[in-house]
Amino acid sequence: MESTIEPSVALTNDIRHDWQRDEVQALFDLPLNDLLYQAQTKHRQNFEANAIQLSTLLNIKTGACAEDCSYCSQSVVHDTSLKVEPLMDEATVMESARVAKENGASRFCMGAAWRSPTPKGFERILEIINGVKSLGLETCATLGMLTAEQAVQLKQAGLDYYNHNLDTSAEYYDKVITTRTFQDRLDTLSFVRDAGMKVCCGGIVGMGEEQTDRVGLLMTLANLEHHPESVPVNLLVKIEGTPLAETEELDVFEFIRCIAVARILMPASLVRLSAGRQSLSDEAQAMCFLAGANSIFYGERLLTTDNPEADADRLLFDRLGLKPMEVVQA
Ligand code: SAM
Ligand code: DTB
Ligand code: SF4
């Protein structure tokens, strides 16, 4: 059968912030090969084709979170039998960061199960960031909602990136979270930006949303005033005891499409193949890299769930001819 669609690869390196819904939908509607061709072309115009950025995650404060995010093991609202742990001490975090660096990670991301940082906790976080930064790693933190002032303090302490996801489309948002709004998230993101930090912002797919919600999420990210420098695309990790535990599996090709569309809409951003790799085959992950993913979480643990072992990732990289991206610290 002959294809009637001409894959129109834009050979310009333009960064756009005016994506229209029908344009993004049209990308999702392309035959997969055409979509991958466009995404791979954009990828090669902007990045070294076979270099993947490695971020290691550490959950520095676990569980007992006041929010009701229906995907999350750490919400106090869900009965997930997670062991609650207070904020880690600086020495423990530093030791993990050292190991992450030795293993080849370029960025160390610290997550805390907070709606927003507690005053006491925040003071300790500033010291921890300062310490991790001194190891020569890029620093990233995800601590919930921030005030403008907290964002400035984090920047001054040496934080390079702040991770705060939109999670889903504005329309689907209140099916997933009711304890804070989509606008709250946008506000935190603008405080982070104004403080001069880099933004790590993406979402989760496979939460039972429609394709139009995936279109909406990616379009909103691409139409932010500045594209997030990092765009994590998470595939829902289904956690027993959460309302989303029994959600129907997302078609793997739809997940790959999301990565490809993210790459085309935000051509100069790192697109991270994030949570959910445990449920993807090596072949599916290889297709995600072909679709323009050029960042992963590296190390056997995400926040509260497992990630592939570092050895397994090294083997996959060898088999695919991929190498860790060298990141020069600022
Ligand atoms: N408490 C902070 C917050 O929510 O802003 C920071 C940590 S929170 C766990 C960081 C992000 O991880 C969430 O916004 C969500 O996108 C992602 N995430 C959490 N649980 C997930 C799951 N089960 N599957 C996929 N992604 C998940
Ligand atoms: C992001 O976008 N994904 C990470 C990180 N930012 C903090 C978290 C994934 C969590 C997966 C489920 C868990 O381990 O609890
Ligand atoms: Fe709390 Fe973050 Fe989990 Fe939501 S995603 S329940 S804010 S830890």
Side-chain angles (χ1 to χ4, degrees):
M1 196 175 67
E2 238 176 64
S3 165
T4 52
I5 301 171
E6 281 288 317
S8 59
V9 176
L11 287 169
T12 52
N13 200 5
D14 54 337
I15 303 286
R16 289 180 49 193
H17 301 273
D18 60 351
W19 288 92
Q20 302 298 305
R21 184 168 280 279
D22 58 346
E23 291 180 289
V24 181
Q25 183 63 58
L27 291 171
F28 270 95
D29 291 342
L30 282 173
L32 187 62
N33 285 344
D34 294 349
L35 178 62
L36 291 180
Y37 179 50
Q38 280 205 35
Q40 179 64 202
T41 304
K42 281 278 182 204
H43 187 190
R44 283 168 186 263
Q45 286 165 353
N46 289 281
F47 289 100
E48 213 183 308
N50 300 300
I52 307 289
Q53 188 273 330
L54 305 180
S55 287
T56 294
L57 259 178
L58 179 69
N59 209 17
I60 60 174
K61 187 263 169 189
T62 305
C65 178
E67 303 275 350
D68 70 352
C69 310
S70 50
Y71 47 78
C72 187
S73 59
Q74 305 196 73
S75 164
V76 79
V77 178
H78 318 312
D79 185 9
T80 57
S81 64
L82 183 73
K83 190 164 175 270
V84 173
E85 303 275 3
L87 184 58
M88 275 181 190
D89 60 64
E90 187 181 342
T92 313
V93 180
M94 291 283 286
E95 185 48 32
S96 289
R98 247 181 237 114
V99 172
K101 187 170 187 206
E102 263 168 39
N103 285 338
S106 64
R107 192 182 307 170
F108 191 67
C109 309
M110 294 157 274
W114 276 326
R115 171 177 165 76
S116 50
T118 59
K120 243 176 146 181
F122 191 68
E123 288 306 315
R124 289 181 51 206
I125 291 282
L126 296 177
E127 282 162 27
I128 291 172
I129 289 167
N130 202 281
V132 174
K133 182 74 185 162
S134 72
L135 298 176
L137 281 157
E138 284 187 312
T139 52
C140 177
T142 179
L143 316 168
M145 287 186 285
L146 297 180
T147 62
E149 198 193 342
Q150 286 171 328
V152 170
Q153 288 174 286
L154 288 170
K155 168 74 184 166
Q156 285 168 349
L159 193 65
D160 297 305
Y161 284 81
Y162 195 75
N163 168 241
H164 199 62
N165 291 338
L166 292 181
D167 278 356
T168 188
S169 68
E171 294 75 24
Y172 197 65
Y173 185 86
D174 61 9
K175 308 267 183 320
V176 181
I177 300 138
T178 70
T179 47
R180 69 174 128 159
T181 65
F182 199 74
Q183 187 58 47
D184 288 332
R185 291 188 185 249
L186 292 170
D187 290 347
T188 293
L189 290 171
S190 67
F191 298 148
V192 169
R193 201 39 104 191
D194 291 348
M197 278 182 285
K198 293 182 186 152
V199 170
C200 172
C201 181
I204 313 176
V205 297
M207 295 195 294
E209 74 285 343
E210 301 289 332
Q211 191 182 61
T212 52
D213 296 305
R214 297 186 280 275
V215 168
L217 167 67
L218 294 172
M219 194 177 80
T220 308
L221 290 168
N223 289 344
L224 291 171
E225 202 175 328
H226 300 278
H227 290 170
E229 282 79 2
S230 277
V231 181
V233 182
N234 294 281
L235 178 61
L236 175 71
V237 179
K238 295 180 206 171
I239 293 169
E240 234 182 272
T242 64
L244 296 184
E246 306 299 330
T247 311
E248 199 184 322
E249 209 68 44
L250 186 73
D251 176 17
V252 66
F253 295 121
E254 178 67 11
F255 180 68
I256 293 162
R257 281 179 191 279
C258 292
I259 300 262
V261 173
R263 165 54 62 227
I264 293 166
L265 301 192
M266 294 165 278
S269 302
L270 289 169
V271 173
R272 185 174 307 128
L273 166 55
S274 304
R277 289 201 295 128
Q278 284 290 68
S279 64
L280 295 175
S281 66
D282 288 348
E283 294 82 351
Q285 291 188 63
M287 286 189 79
C288 290
F289 296 128
L290 185 65
N294 60 347
S295 170
I296 57 168
F297 285 124
Y298 174 66
E300 39 286 338
R301 207 73 184 142
L302 290 169
L303 293 176
T304 66
T305 65
D306 289 342
N307 197 41
E309 299 279 331
D311 281 351
D313 279 340
R314 281 193 278 266
L315 181 61
L316 182 63
F317 273 35
D318 278 352
R319 290 165 70 210
L320 300 179
L322 298 173
K323 57 175 192 220
M325 189 182 287
E326 282 180 29
V327 177
V328 182
Q329 310 306 328

